[in-house]
Amino acid sequence: MKRTALLILAAVTFAASLPAQTPRKHALLDEGWKFHLGHAADASTDFNFTIANLFSKTGKATGTAIDPTFDDQSWTSITLPHDWAVALPFENSDNADVLGHGYKPVGGLYPRNSIGWYRKAFTIVPADSGKRFSVQFDGVFRDCQVWMNGFYLGRNESGYVGFEYDITDYIRFTQENVLVVRVDASQYEGWFYEGAGIYRHVWLNESESVHIPSGGVFFHSKVTGGEATVSVHTTVVNDGLKDEWVSVQTYITDRNGKVITKSEEEGSSFVPAQAGIRSHVELTLKNAHLWSLEDPYLYKVVNVVRQNGRVIDQDRQRLGVRTVVIDAATGLSLNGKRIKIQGVNCHQDHAGVGLAQPDYLHYYRIRRLQELGVNAYRTSHHAPTPELLDACDSLGMLVLDEARLLSSSREYQDQFRRLIERDRNHPSVFLWSIGNEEGYAQTNSIGKRIALSMLALQRQYDSTRTSTYAADLGNVFTGVNEVIPIRGFNYREKHVVAYHRDHPGQPIVGTEMGSTVTTRGIYAIDSVKGYLPDQDITAPWWASTAEAWWPLAAENDWFMGGFVWTGFDYRGEPTPFQWPNISSHFGIMDVCGFPKNIYYYYQSWWTNKDVLHISPHWNWKGREGRNIDVWVNSNADQVELFLNGKSLGKKAMVRNRHLQWSVPYRAGTLAAVATKQGRTFRTQVQTTDAPYALELSTERTTVLADGRDAAVVDVLVKDKRGREVPDAGNLVRFSVQGDARVIGVGNGDPSSHEPDQCAPGAWQRSLFNGKCQVIIQTGKTVGAIRLEATGEGLRPAAVTIQATAEK
């Protein structure tokens, strides 16, 4: 029987040092994998998986790729994360799901591409016998089965929630161990690009039999004045075969590791074999340094497990002390400061790499969003990768963390529980979402009952937060909406005022707002190529432009704000087009993170920066004398527009709007001069000459030589006078010198069928409206990395990045 020890201890503040590091190990298992496609409909090319009687006897694996002695030398060597779908060619299809997934030939219609086999050999030294071992997968798309040395571990059905298996009983200490994963991407889970494969990290965990399990620590804080009380709940399990006595002690350190406070050292607690105990301590932080969007300060909570005075386990997690209040009349407050949600929805693919993003890319994308003025991120519609939440914690970004499906079945309740236990200690997570647009259930009694079950589970595992649900409904108060604590609106912004009038006690947030469809650098509809004008003018029937929803949110205190659909373009869902379109148009930025013009609308009203932006570009040869529709986005008080020095008039800048002029085209300089609170600033666009020279830029001049770090390099072209050419389409080729490799290229063209992943030594990409992007990943050698770009008739360019020893 499991026993529970409940300890509420006073905190003691003093200078002290933490105990030496724990015997626990958490080692990446990303390198040295072998990969081969299988076949969902042909057993002979699926390594006999469906015809071998694998489950008749424990450990039976003979004649299949599961067999530890199987020869995989001819398989492809890979390093995780890995998305095999991104490297597949595009393939036209009339099937709606294939369209939604970006015309990649994966899924039930493509059995030849929908099974992937992974094998990993590794050793464990005999000195570690007696320890507990587990293998942890952060994310695999989709259905996967796992074997260790031929012994079956289990099946995971979610493409997004991580999972873990204890492998202690199957370890071999005198020869190699072989981990085998069969991934089946035949079944889609979403209606957008989902990739295929082991696209997140894999870890090998090692601990004593008595240890803190994954998800076994839950902490939260309450702030009163300048003082914070931190409640820490810790579970310790005994996976061994004999009863043990242990003690648990909790420390809080500052960001540099200095102990600020710790619990009193408790006496030993009895932990029965195959059972566990729980402890609860409350620690006080005087003059607490709060976590905020502007100053995302992170403490550390360290739980130490001792046995006879010896440290046998130690769990370290980051703590952000903050207070979140959501009120129906005043919206969201963080640490007593009212905040309007300026959010975006995002899927998790990026140009060039698909879902298999190096950790750095998550930080890169969050910083790009913050430059725009975004303060909140909705993980639509799935559990995010842990590194994304780490980035949001570190950089100061709120997160709406979403369950994949509205369902109270055992499988989906388990997925929701795993999501909450994994993510509940992240200060960035301020709200849960129990689902999105469940048309078959959201308005009926079934949906209401499911929602009540999910809300009960959420409160069981995290009573400090509440939930919303993303409803594509107007002024409707049935089903899920009757019981959801916070009403989420997907579009339907015209009904928000009436809904608030009829239900004034229910807070409102826009879970999906806007959804303008635009193509970067394009200024006319092209239904053949699948392009849309790069202005805030076109939206699907269910959605709206930016200017239709944001003023409503900005001007009403009870409207918490909302999440734009979407922050970045993503693969699949090429609304309103089909083939040759292979990615969406919804993004404020394209799939590379290059801004579209709508970016500057939001930046004008979401930041305190001086924003002044003219669109379109001024290269319109052949259209002399014809009127060009000119937009100016700014947060100034007044803007005056000039063409070749001649004033085209002044206009007052109405808050949360934009300005427009109709200008007869003449080559030259189109300039805008803005005045704001007595200050003047200006910008201009010019007619350029032909492309002349390539230019490379990156935010990183130093990277880690750890085999995992990465750098994003943007590519553009300039004319002889050094002006960026906005409509260039030159083909650019790349080469790398030093210990690094290119892992992906992209350009933001939603109809480009160029490969995102090229053969070694043959990396290339065309510019799309003047830009493209290349992503490089480091090796393990310290030294200079030089990326060179060349193009026919263009002056080449290079950038040098220094790879340094890991800190």
Side-chain angles (χ1 to χ4, degrees):
M1 179 181 294
K2 180 177 289 189
R3 300 185 183 181
T4 299
L6 182 61
L7 305 172
I8 302 179
L9 304 175
V12 181
T13 304
F14 64 107
S17 298
L18 282 169
Q21 275 289 354
T22 173
R24 168 191 294 214
K25 296 178 183 177
H26 182 61
L28 265 179
L29 211 61
D30 283 356
E31 297 181 358
W33 288 79
K34 292 286 190 174
F35 171 76
H36 202 291
L37 283 175
H39 201 293
D42 182 357
S44 64
T45 53
D46 196 34
F47 306 101
N48 296 324
F49 174 72
T50 54
I51 59 175
N53 191 1
L54 298 171
F55 297 100
S56 63
K57 300 291 182 180
T58 298
K60 184 178 181 181
T62 307
T64 70
I66 299 162
D67 192 335
T69 65
F70 178 85
D71 183 3
D72 58 16
Q73 292 305 301
S74 64
W75 288 24
T76 303
S77 297
I78 64 160
T79 297
L80 304 179
H82 179 242
D83 175 0
W84 83 70
V86 73
L88 295 174
F90 298 100
E91 189 166 320
N92 194 0
S93 171
D94 292 331
N95 181 271
D97 283 322
V98 176
L99 176 154
H101 284 72
Y103 291 104
K104 286 293 185 176
V106 175
L109 296 176
Y110 304 97
R112 69 188 187 277
N113 295 330
S114 297
I115 302 294
W117 286 88
Y118 294 84
R119 289 172 53 90
K120 165 68 178 175
F122 61 98
T123 59
I124 296 178
V125 297
D128 286 340
S129 62
K131 301 291 181 65
R132 303 298 302 187
F133 296 89
S134 68
V135 60
Q136 172 187 326
F137 294 83
D138 284 345
V140 180
F141 194 86
R142 181 184 177 262
D143 295 340
C144 69
Q145 293 172 276
V146 186
W147 290 262
M148 180 67 179
N149 293 330
F151 290 89
Y152 186 62
L153 300 179
R155 177 194 295 270
N156 185 68
E157 297 184 17
S158 170
Y160 298 102
V161 182
F163 56 97
E164 184 175 0
Y165 294 121
D166 190 305
I167 59 173
T168 305
D169 292 344
Y170 312 113
I171 293 291
R172 304 189 301 196
F173 294 98
T174 58
Q175 57 183 308
E176 278 192 331
N177 296 279
V178 179
L179 182 65
V180 179
V181 185
R182 182 181 185 266
V183 181
D184 187 344
S186 299
Q187 179 65 59
Y188 297 133
E189 191 165 346
W191 50 95
F192 40 84
Y193 179 83
E194 297 178 286
I198 308 177
Y199 70 96
R200 294 178 183 168
H201 294 307
V202 176
W203 305 86
L204 179 65
N205 297 323
E206 178 182 339
S207 68
E208 299 285 348
S209 292
V210 180
H211 63 277
I212 299 170
S214 298
V217 177
F218 175 39
F219 47 78
H220 50 88
S221 58
K222 181 178 181 180
V223 180
T224 304
E227 187 173 279
T229 301
V230 182
S231 296
V232 183
H233 305 260
T234 306
T235 299
V236 177
V237 297
N238 180 0
D239 289 331
L241 301 178
K242 63 177 183 176
D243 301 341
E244 303 286 0
W245 289 83
V246 301
S247 64
V248 182
Q249 191 170 17
T250 303
Y251 301 75
I252 296 180
T253 78
D254 65 13
R255 62 170 28 151
N256 298 315
K258 178 183 176 182
V259 175
I260 298 172
T261 184
K262 70 174 184 177
S263 64
E264 295 177 356
E265 189 167 1
E266 64 176 78
S268 292
S269 298
F270 178 69
V271 192
Q274 301 297 302
I277 61 170
R278 291 185 297 163
S279 69
H280 171 205
V281 299
E282 291 187 349
L283 304 176
T284 300
L285 292 174
K286 297 185 181 298
N287 300 315
H289 194 155
L290 302 185
W291 184 93
S292 66
L293 302 179
E294 301 78 18
D295 182 15
Y297 187 87
L298 294 167
Y299 295 93
K300 292 185 178 72
V301 173
V302 184
N303 278 283
V304 178
V305 182
R306 292 183 177 90
Q307 187 174 51
N308 299 322
R310 180 176 68 92
V311 175
I312 62 171
D313 198 12
Q314 191 177 114
D315 177 271
R316 294 171 178 251
Q317 297 189 47
R318 299 189 301 179
L319 160 70
V321 176
R322 86 287 187 275
T323 301
V324 173
V325 175
I326 298 175
D327 182 82
T330 58
L332 173 70
S333 294
L334 178 63
N335 303 328
K337 176 184 176 181
R338 286 181 55 197
I339 291 176
K340 187 71 72 172
I341 291 178
Q342 300 167 177
V344 292
N345 292 271
C346 288
H347 289 312
Q348 57 178 351
D349 61 290
H350 190 86
V353 296
L355 301 192
Q357 295 187 35
D359 293 353
Y360 162 72
L361 257 181
H362 299 294
Y363 290 81
Y364 172 87
R365 287 164 63 90
I366 294 300
R367 281 194 293 269
R368 296 292 80 77
L369 292 171
Q370 287 181 318
E371 290 166 3
L372 160 64
V374 171
N375 61 17
Y377 184 111
R378 177 174 172 233
T379 65
S380 48
H381 308 285
H382 49 73
T385 186
E387 289 72 28
L388 172 73
L389 296 184
D390 289 343
C392 292
D393 290 345
S394 298
L395 299 175
M397 175 76 72
L398 295 172
V399 175
L400 172 53
D401 204 340
E402 186 158 276
R404 177 64 204 89
L405 279 178
L406 180 80
S407 177
S408 55
S409 71
R410 182 175 180 178
E411 169 63 30
Y412 285 105
Q413 289 286 74
D414 181 60
Q415 290 185 22
F416 193 30
R417 175 192 59 79
R418 281 184 279 156
L419 172 69
I420 294 171
E421 285 190 329
R422 190 197 68 175
D423 295 350
R424 62 190 175 180
N425 290 336
H426 287 277
S428 57
V429 176
F430 78 106
L431 186 63
W432 303 106
S433 170
I434 64 171
N436 174 77
E437 296 185 3
E438 295 283 359
Y440 297 104
Q442 66 183 347
T443 60
N444 55 36
S445 62
I446 293 174
K448 180 178 178 179
R449 295 196 299 268
I450 293 172
L452 287 170
S453 295
M454 294 188 73
L455 291 170
L457 185 142
Q458 179 252 294
R459 289 190 295 269
Q460 177 185 351
Y461 288 95
D462 179 14
S463 61
T464 70
R465 297 178 179 86
T466 189
S467 291
T468 187
Y469 167 78
D472 55 336
L473 300 168
N475 189 7
V476 176
F477 190 71
T478 58
V480 178
N481 286 346
E482 291 183 67
V483 296
I484 198 71
I486 297 173
R487 168 65 201 271
F489 269 85
N490 277 13
Y491 317 109
R492 316 304 196 268
E493 78 287 340
K494 294 178 181 178
H495 300 276
V496 169
V497 171
Y499 189 90
H500 172 67
R501 178 199 64 213
D502 294 342
H503 311 285
Q506 191 178 36
I508 292 174
V509 62
T511 38
E512 290 178 24
M513 291 283 107
S515 212
T516 306
V517 281
T518 62
T519 309
R520 178 179 57 80
I522 297 294
Y523 294 95
I525 296 175
D526 188 332
S527 57
V528 175
K529 292 183 178 179
Y531 296 151
L532 291 153
D534 190 9
Q535 302 289 17
D536 185 27
I537 57 177
T538 309
W541 66 264
W542 63 83
S544 69
T545 62
E547 285 192 43
W549 86 270
W550 175 246
L552 179 66
E555 295 160 13
N556 288 284
D557 291 344
W558 49 264
F559 197 161
M560 201 185 307
F563 297 84
V564 178
W565 190 267
T566 54
F568 301 89
D569 281 344
Y570 55 92
R571 298 162 191 265
E573 281 198 303
T575 307
F577 301 117
Q578 298 180 8
W579 184 269
N581 237 180
I582 48 83
S583 70
S584 79
H585 301 267
F586 296 115
I588 300 171
M589 292 176 275
D590 68 18
V591 292
C592 298
F594 295 133
K596 303 180 186 180
N597 288 319
I598 198 171
Y599 176 104
Y600 300 97
Y601 170 78
Y602 285 113
Q603 190 184 53
S604 295
W605 309 116
W606 285 6
T607 74
N608 293 322
K609 302 174 184 177
D610 289 338
V611 178
L612 182 61
H613 176 75
I614 302 172
S615 59
H617 58 72
W618 211 237
N619 284 10
W620 297 103
K621 185 177 181 180
R623 297 190 62 179
E624 287 77 7
R626 295 170 59 184
N627 284 348
I628 303 294
D629 195 18
V630 174
W631 289 46
V632 173
N633 289 111
S634 182
N635 51 14
D637 300 325
Q638 179 179 269
V639 177
E640 186 173 8
L641 193 66
F642 296 85
L643 177 59
N644 296 328
K646 180 180 178 181
S647 176
L648 302 178
K650 297 179 181 179
K651 293 188 179 183
M653 186 70 249
V654 178
R655 189 162 182 80
N656 300 318
R657 307 295 177 180
H658 76 281
L659 300 176
Q660 274 184 258
W661 281 262
S662 184
V663 182
Y665 176 67
R666 290 196 300 275
T669 300
L670 187 67
V673 178
T675 56
K676 182 179 181 181
Q677 298 175 350
R679 295 179 291 106
T680 299
F681 51 99
R682 60 176 289 137
T683 192
Q684 65 182 30
V685 292
Q686 289 186 305
T687 308
T688 70
D689 298 326
Y692 172 72
L694 290 167
E695 183 171 290
L696 304 181
S697 63
T698 179
E699 68 174 13
R700 308 198 77 189
T701 57
T702 303
V703 292
L704 294 177
D706 61 359
R708 299 189 293 125
D709 206 2
V712 176
V713 181
D714 294 336
V715 186
L716 55 86
V717 65
K718 292 188 173 181
D719 66 10
K720 285 188 175 181
R721 297 172 61 185
R723 300 172 301 190
E724 184 177 342
V725 182
D727 52 355
N730 307 67
L731 178 66
V732 183
R733 295 183 172 87
F734 304 100
S735 62
V736 178
Q737 299 171 10
D739 190 9
R741 61 192 180 101
V742 177
I743 60 171
V745 290
N747 62 10
D749 181 352
S751 295
S752 174
H753 297 170
E754 294 177 275
D756 291 283
Q757 307 212 328
C758 306
W763 285 93
Q764 63 182 35
R765 189 69 168 197
S766 297
L767 299 169
F768 177 63
N769 290 324
K771 298 180 186 295
C772 69
Q773 188 175 85
V774 57
I775 303 170
I776 60 175
Q777 190 164 42
T778 63
K780 295 187 177 181
T781 305
V782 171
I785 299 169
R786 179 180 171 86
L787 175 71
E788 295 184 347
T790 60
E792 186 174 350
L794 299 174
R795 191 174 69 187
V799 64
T800 299
I801 300 170
Q802 190 68 32
T804 63
E806 188 169 4
K807 297 179 181 178

